[in-house]
Amino acid sequence: MDRRYRRLLSSIMYVKMNRWANSESKNSVFYLDVFLALSIISIPFLIYLHLLFPAIESSELVLFGMEFQHGYYDNQTFVWLVLTGIVPILLISIYFLAAKGFSKYGLLLLISFFYFDFVSSVAKQNLLFSLVNLKAIIGLVGYLVLLIYLDRRIQKVVKDQLSIPLPKILKEIEGKKYERINKTAKTLINNEKSSSQNHYLCKVYRVLEVLNNDEEFKANKFSNYHQKEVLSRGLLTISILVASLLIVIWNYIPFNIDKITLLGFDFPSFGFESIKVFVWYLGAKVAIILISLIQFFNSNKWWKFAYLAPVMIYLYQVFEILFLDSIIIESFGNVNILPFVFLTIWVVILFSFSVKRILQAEYYREILKSKFEEVIYKEALGK
């Protein structure tokens, strides 16, 4: 083997490795996106786990062989209270891992507020402003450090985001263009030596011509991306400040008030023990709705519709309190919203199949490019 041919092989192998590494990176982004989308959709359903516990009077909860003493009426109420605090923390944590830019670190502020609100409710003492519980502070710092560490690890593995336009995804769902191209490309790759070299090159060239006329995958490819980024950062910052106010405002309301007047209208406690408890419940729900909507409108991800699942669930829970006069909240009556949530799940799954086929076509295009160039170089060297 002469030097020219060795240099040629080295050059081809280098190009192949770069292309395959790029393809693997895109696959990593895709599977991470699927995980984030399904997590956002499924986490709000954790609140309904409290229905697995009997609503009988008891101040002791036995779970996995461990006993937990609490001062609430029954185990179902206590578990509901715990889940009411945990679910927003998990949801905002996923939002943090999915978001881009420095402004997303403001979400850690929301996590902190939800965390201390949760600990205060379970411990029956106000830790949000006094911060006297050292264990609670250590727990929060440890959790935030873990989140930042996970985010850094993800950013090292996944450096770009898939910015596949929605019309392209819908067009693939309708026509399945890439599914047909993938079958042809896979056949060419597996049957390289089944036909003459010239005939094989002609087939590869025709497939590459179709694929090369399509738009390349490039992360953050938007004509006015910088303006959108600045706008999204501003909206996210404002929404975080408003959501933080909604989470903590109940601390400033006296406990013995059962009616409040705003803008000339009287608002009752809607079945809660007091206005203070009502504002505590409603404020957290509205905060999640606000942040979820901002994430939906600011996101450029193909799975952004997953953000609508928490919005629908929390909106229905607010509607249930304000207009349905439900005696038992967040119970079996919430099945009314499930068809709309399942529609969101179906859209995300359908989009994922389309995106996977588009990425597969990109992967096959890189392989066929390498094979085409390899054959042409060999011909040029007379091999």
Side-chain angles (χ1 to χ4, degrees):
M1 184 182 297
D2 58 35
R3 292 181 180 179
R4 287 190 307 163
Y5 194 55
R6 283 199 300 268
R7 285 197 298 268
L8 169 64
L9 287 180
S10 298
S11 176
I12 292 173
M13 290 301 299
Y14 178 77
V15 171
K16 283 184 177 181
M17 291 299 293
N18 281 344
R19 287 173 176 171
W20 290 340
N22 185 44
S23 176
E24 287 300 318
S25 176
K26 290 177 180 177
N27 280 330
S28 300
V29 177
F30 171 75
Y31 288 117
L32 176 64
D33 284 349
V34 171
F35 170 76
L36 293 174
L38 295 180
S39 297
I40 289 171
I41 293 173
S42 59
I43 284 175
F45 287 99
L46 295 177
I47 191 65
Y48 302 111
L49 291 178
H50 75 278
L51 299 175
L52 300 177
F53 296 84
I56 56 176
E57 186 175 355
S58 175
S59 61
E60 181 181 87
L61 174 65
V62 179
L63 193 63
F64 302 115
M66 297 182 290
E67 297 181 358
F68 299 91
Q69 296 291 332
H70 59 84
Y72 294 90
Y73 177 75
D74 56 37
N75 289 335
Q76 189 176 101
T77 301
F78 175 68
V79 173
W80 173 83
L81 186 66
V82 171
L83 293 173
T84 299
I86 292 177
V87 168
I89 294 174
L90 294 178
L91 196 58
I92 301 297
S93 298
I94 296 296
Y95 288 0
F96 172 77
L97 296 176
K100 293 286 185 181
F102 182 77
S103 57
K104 73 174 188 175
Y105 285 91
L107 293 173
L108 300 181
L109 177 65
L110 278 186
I111 293 174
S112 302
F113 280 133
F114 273 117
Y115 175 84
F116 280 115
D117 184 71
F118 159 64
V119 175
S120 300
S121 301
V122 174
K124 289 188 174 182
Q125 55 178 308
N126 193 342
L127 302 177
L128 182 59
F129 298 105
S130 62
L131 301 181
V132 296
N133 195 322
L134 182 60
K135 291 182 180 179
I137 298 175
I138 294 175
L140 173 63
V141 172
Y143 183 74
L144 295 181
V145 169
L146 176 62
L147 264 185
I148 295 173
Y149 171 77
L150 289 176
D151 180 63
R152 295 292 177 87
R153 294 287 297 177
I154 290 173
Q155 297 305 322
K156 285 184 178 180
V157 177
V158 181
K159 297 181 180 179
D160 297 322
Q161 62 174 329
L162 298 178
S163 56
I164 303 175
L166 179 60
K168 187 172 186 177
I169 296 176
L170 296 177
K171 189 175 180 180
E172 169 60 17
I173 293 174
E174 179 185 4
K176 295 186 177 180
K177 165 188 171 184
Y178 292 103
E179 183 176 0
R180 296 191 298 272
I181 292 177
N182 289 341
K183 289 180 180 178
T184 303
K186 187 176 181 180
T187 302
L188 285 174
I189 294 170
N190 293 334
N191 301 318
E192 180 180 355
K193 298 181 180 180
S194 61
S195 58
S196 66
Q197 189 164 274
N198 290 335
H199 185 56
Y200 178 76
L201 282 177
C202 289
K203 288 182 177 180
V204 171
Y205 180 79
R206 283 198 294 268
V207 174
L208 287 176
E209 190 176 22
V210 173
L211 291 174
N212 288 332
N213 288 331
D214 197 16
E215 184 181 356
E216 299 245 7
F217 293 102
K218 292 183 180 179
N220 302 330
K221 188 178 180 181
F222 301 98
S223 57
N224 58 343
Y225 178 73
H226 179 67
Q227 291 142 345
K228 285 187 177 182
E229 185 180 33
V230 172
L231 178 62
S232 65
R233 286 180 179 179
L235 290 175
L236 181 59
T237 302
I238 294 173
S239 64
I240 288 173
L241 294 176
V242 174
S244 300
L245 178 63
L246 291 171
I247 296 171
V248 304
I249 194 172
W250 68 275
N251 290 276
Y252 297 99
I253 301 175
F255 191 80
N256 57 352
I257 297 178
D258 58 2
K259 184 172 66 174
I260 191 171
T261 302
L262 290 175
L263 303 176
F265 295 96
D266 292 333
F267 294 93
S269 60
F270 292 95
F272 286 90
E273 185 178 359
S274 66
I275 286 292
K276 186 183 184 78
V277 179
F278 170 67
V279 173
W280 165 79
Y281 178 84
L282 187 65
K285 301 293 182 185
V286 177
I288 293 293
I289 293 171
L290 175 62
I291 293 297
S292 299
L293 286 175
I294 293 297
Q295 292 292 99
F296 171 73
F297 288 113
N298 285 342
S299 177
N300 298 315
K301 297 181 181 295
W302 61 266
W303 52 267
K304 62 187 291 184
F305 293 95
Y307 288 115
L308 296 180
V311 171
M312 289 186 289
I313 293 175
Y314 280 87
L315 271 178
Y316 185 83
Q317 291 173 356
V318 172
F319 176 80
E320 182 182 42
I321 290 297
L322 297 180
F323 301 105
L324 298 184
D325 296 327
S326 298
I327 299 176
I328 303 176
I329 60 175
E330 298 177 14
S331 185
F332 296 103
N334 285 186
V335 295
N336 296 322
I337 197 62
L338 290 185
F340 300 98
V341 178
F342 288 149
L343 177 62
T344 305
I345 298 174
W346 178 78
V347 168
V348 171
I349 293 176
L350 186 64
F351 280 17
S352 70
F353 287 136
S354 178
V355 171
K356 182 63 176 176
R357 290 196 295 269
I358 295 172
L359 291 179
Q360 192 69 39
E362 173 72 7
Y363 172 69
Y364 286 146
R365 177 172 64 178
E366 298 302 334
I367 293 180
L368 291 177
K369 274 185 180 180
S370 297
K371 289 185 176 295
F372 188 83
E373 292 167 1
E374 184 176 354
V375 174
I376 292 298
Y377 288 153
K378 286 180 179 179
E379 287 289 327
L381 292 175
K383 294 290 181 180

